Amino acid sequence: MHSESHADAITTQTITPQQVVIGIDIGGTNLRLALADLTGKILTCWSTKTADIFDPADMVQSICIGVNVLLTDPSLAQSKLVALAVGAPGITDAHRGIVIATSYLGGWRDVPLRALLEEALHVPVFVDNDGNMAAFGEYSAGVARTMRDFVFLAVGTGLGAGIMIDGKVHRGVNWLAGEVGYMLVPGTTADPVQNDSPGALEELVGGEGIRQHWRATWKADTTSLNHDASATDIFDAAALGDSLSRSTLDSVARALAYAIYNMALVLNCSHIVLGGSLGLHPGLQAATGAVLQKLNPRVQPTLISSALGGEAQIHGAIHQAIAMARPNPL
Amino acid sequence: MHSESHADAITTQTITPQQVVIGIDIGGTNLRLALADLTGKILTCWSTKTADIFDPADMVQSICIGVNVLLTDPSLAQSKLVALAVGAPGITDAHRGIVIATSYLGGWRDVPLRALLEEALHVPVFVDNDGNMAAFGEYSAGVARTMRDFVFLAVGTGLGAGIMIDGKVHRGVNWLAGEVGYMLVPGTTADPVQNDSPGALEELVGGEGIRQHWRATWKADTTSLNHDASATDIFDAAALGDSLSRSTLDSVARALAYAIYNMALVLNCSHIVLGGSLGLHPGLQAATGAVLQKLNPRVQPTLISSALGGEAQIHGAIHQAIAMARPNPL
């Protein structure tokens, strides 16, 4: 009897598989997966292009391929996937795991991504908007680890915010909190929003809007850049004294500063974490900070750069998956 | 021994004084006190003018006079004051009970109102900004009793908001959350804020700003109203077809709708509760709702009137005092 129970103990003590999670970032151009341990340390990654993935079933299939590739890594043979979280590029019902609307991926509407993935993978899945994921990433593993209240503001092709209030992601009643690309500030249009058209602020501050404005105002004698320069080219040239680039950067910075100021008047958060390819540009940050500083001495949120950059979303997804796997954190 | 304990029981059972609280609203023109029972029912009120009260010590003295008058009401002879809460017309540190800044009352700066009142009255005191008090009033006893997320927006001489998120007043890191009178929208100036100058949005939407704009645009042949009409006069005349009044109302409504839209893009709250003398005007509500409805089909916060009107602040103060007296609500 004694030897039997000893044998049992040995059986249950034999190698316990390491628990791992997968964080996923569905972007307009790339699908990226990262497998991490329960401390959030990334062990291995996989990615593919999303350019021709429109059907949600195809997306689920691509994710399954990636999950299988990650889990069959020989170094992870003893790993057990316990949870998975996904950041989606659109309005997302995080409670039910439904992507309500996105202008990417051929324009998904009401896609029950969580249910589809749970059915395919048999692990708990959490789905949220990518801006919220990025905010949670900076909060869990980035520059906002000590902040209970901040806004993560992604400035890239478009514009979006993830809002953290009292240590929780604030999503709003229709999952629209932080859709600041539509904000109205001096200089924006106040025309009604058309179906899937970019937001009024996005037209001034987003990469695509900046390119359009550039092409409309471009004259060979005002700039050394050519007609189809990118927003990053323009911001880079502004630092070197290019005249049209400088005035373009200044008008982008003004609109961005007004929007940040308006957010700060509502939320009175201490910090705005700037992410996205344009949000991280030092020239835009400096010019925006200069406008903001003049507006109102009392209302001065501190602008800081995202520490995780393009990895903020995927780190947020990893940490949401960990939170799900371990509902009572150690 | 048995009879002794019986006697004890009788002693402790004899008339227990009724516990009461006092809610106070310090306004730019009136100081109002209301005494209520622990259900929030107002039993008696007292008020005085604040026109010549600049010194905080004088304000405390006036409040003490009011408290004594209320408590010496013969019908309240058996009452015991257990807590008191005050709404102040300015930026207020609610944790420490300090009025940081107000443009009323001769411009208080860093007045430790809670400490002053606790020293004078020997009861626990809570002090908060009046917009936050009004939001809490509507949440506790008004139109927002079933809402966990809403904005109370007071439109009167100036403009201010109290923000409720997940059933809690959201005050912000510097107690400035909801200072939306400074918001920048199409049509406002984006000039730097000068000392104590009204906010950019307030200049378009606040009663004093509307009067100034009216005087600047007034021409006898465009209106039946005279040169020094009030905002309410103007809104009333707009409903009767007065031409200049109509265009004035429309431009106020546009700016107000833009600001509400911006708040909704950040917070995605379901409801905006409109209070203040102008916010309650049906003409302004209708015109604002019409602009809002056209902006964006996805972002449509419901506009509703404050149920408590000018009493929202004082009800909020009563219920904050009750919450303090009874930290674990029944």
Side-chain angles (χ1 to χ4, degrees), chain B residues 205-224:
Chain B
V205 171
E208 189 48 40
I210 294 169
R211 289 179 76 123
Q212 282 181 22
H213 176 79
W214 177 262
R215 286 193 289 263
T217 54
W218 185 88
K219 278 183 202 153
D221 60 347
T222 60
T223 177
S224 59

Side-chain angles (χ1 to χ4, degrees), chain A:
Chain A
M1 209 170 143
H2 176 75
S3 68
E4 257 180 50
S5 84
H6 184 64
D8 282 350
I10 287 175
T11 311
T12 56
Q13 268 177 20
T14 49
I15 310 149
T16 310
Q18 181 192 19
Q19 296 196 327
V20 296
V21 298
I22 291 179
I24 300 180
D25 176 36
I26 302 180
T29 48
N30 290 300
L31 166 66
R32 302 187 306 148
L33 281 70
L35 184 146
D37 65 21
L38 293 197
T39 70
K41 187 182 161 201
I42 294 179
L43 305 175
T44 173
C45 293
W46 180 89
S47 71
T48 189
K49 295 280 167 203
T50 49
D52 47 0
I53 305 183
F54 298 126
D55 187 333
D58 293 341
M59 179 60 76
V60 169
Q61 201 186 4
S62 289
I63 289 173
C64 288
I65 292 169
V67 168
N68 282 329
V69 171
L70 291 178
L71 290 174
T72 52
D73 183 313
S75 72
L76 297 168
Q78 294 303 325
S79 295
K80 180 177 158 48
L81 179 65
V82 292
L84 187 150
V86 187
I91 302 160
T92 302
D93 176 338
H95 283 183
R96 296 191 298 151
I98 294 173
V99 180
I100 296 171
T102 171
S103 51
Y104 300 99
L105 309 168
W108 286 7
R109 290 291 178 277
D110 298 315
V111 171
L113 190 60
R114 186 178 80 190
L116 294 172
L117 286 170
E118 287 186 341
E119 196 178 288
L121 291 163
H122 309 289
V123 290
V125 172
F126 178 75
V127 181
D128 199 357
N129 164 269
D130 54 4
N132 294 341
M133 280 298 187
F136 196 73
E138 293 292 343
Y139 178 72
S140 305
V143 77
R145 269 174 292 183
T146 57
M147 301 172 197
R148 305 273 303 165
D149 293 77
F150 69 94
V151 174
F152 177 92
L153 184 61
V155 188
T157 310
L159 195 74
I163 296 170
M164 209 79 177
I165 295 178
D166 201 19
K168 287 194 292 187
V169 176
H170 177 74
R171 299 187 176 89
V173 285
N174 308 117
W175 315 100
L176 289 164
E179 286 290 324
V180 295
Y182 295 94
M183 195 178 271
L184 306 179
V185 300
T188 63
T189 168
D191 290 346
V193 172
Q194 304 299 323
N195 253 352
D196 289 327
S197 64
L201 183 63
E202 239 163 21
E203 281 179 14
L204 298 189
V205 170
E208 191 46 40
I210 295 169
R211 289 178 77 120
Q212 282 180 22
H213 176 80
W214 177 262
R215 286 193 289 264
T217 54
W218 185 88
K219 277 183 202 157
D221 59 346
T222 60
T223 177
S224 60
L225 293 184
N226 61 29
H227 186 255
D228 60 348
S230 73
T232 304
D233 296 338
I234 297 164
F235 294 176
D236 287 345
L240 304 171
D242 184 77
S243 165
L244 185 60
S245 297
R246 185 73 233 174
S247 69
T248 303
L249 172 62
D250 285 344
S251 79
V252 174
R254 266 196 305 278
L256 184 58
Y258 297 163
I260 288 171
Y261 179 60
N262 284 348
M263 283 187 260
L265 290 169
V266 176
L267 296 169
N268 187 215
C269 50
S270 61
H271 289 78
I272 307 281
V273 179
L274 288 166
S277 56
L278 301 183
L280 287 166
H281 197 285
L284 181 62
Q285 286 191 8
T288 304
V291 177
L292 200 54
Q293 206 155 33
K294 284 191 200 131
L295 286 175
N296 189 336
R298 281 198 188 277
V299 182
Q300 291 293 333
T302 305
L303 305 185
I304 49 173
S305 289
S306 157
L308 302 170
E311 307 297 308
Q313 286 89 324
I314 213 153
H315 278 279
I318 287 168
H319 282 273
Q320 286 288 13
I322 292 170
M324 196 166 34
R326 202 169 55 190
N328 301 306
L330 300 176

Side-chain angles (χ1 to χ4, degrees), chain B residues 135-155:
Chain B
F136 196 73
E138 293 293 342
Y139 178 71
S140 306
V143 78
R145 269 173 292 183
T146 59
M147 301 172 198
R148 305 273 302 165
D149 293 78
F150 69 93
V151 174
F152 177 91
L153 184 60
V155 188

Side-chain angles (χ1 to χ4, degrees), chain B residues 170-315:
Chain B
H170 177 74
R171 300 187 176 91
V173 284
N174 307 118
W175 316 101
L176 288 164
E179 287 288 325
V180 295
Y182 294 95
M183 194 178 271
L184 304 180
V185 300
T188 62
T189 169
D191 292 346
V193 171
Q194 303 298 325
N195 254 352
D196 288 328
S197 64
L201 183 63
E202 239 164 21
E203 280 180 15
L204 298 188
V205 171
E208 189 48 40
I210 294 169
R211 289 179 76 123
Q212 282 181 22
H213 176 79
W214 177 262
R215 286 193 289 263
T217 54
W218 185 88
K219 278 183 202 153
D221 60 347
T222 60
T223 177
S224 59
L225 292 185
N226 61 29
H227 186 254
D228 61 348
S230 73
T232 304
D233 296 338
I234 297 164
F235 294 175
D236 288 345
L240 303 172
D242 184 76
S243 165
L244 185 61
S245 297
R246 185 72 233 175
S247 68
T248 302
L249 172 62
D250 285 343
S251 78
V252 173
R254 267 196 304 278
L256 184 58
Y258 298 162
I260 288 171
Y261 179 60
N262 284 349
M263 283 188 262
L265 289 169
V266 176
L267 296 170
N268 188 215
C269 50
S270 60
H271 289 79
I272 305 281
V273 179
L274 289 166
S277 56
L278 300 182
L280 286 167
H281 197 286
L284 180 62
Q285 286 191 8
T288 304
V291 177
L292 200 53
Q293 206 154 34
K294 285 190 199 132
L295 287 176
N296 189 337
R298 281 198 188 277
V299 182
Q300 291 293 332
T302 305
L303 305 185
I304 48 173
S305 290
S306 157
L308 301 171
E311 307 298 308
Q313 286 90 322
I314 213 154
H315 278 280

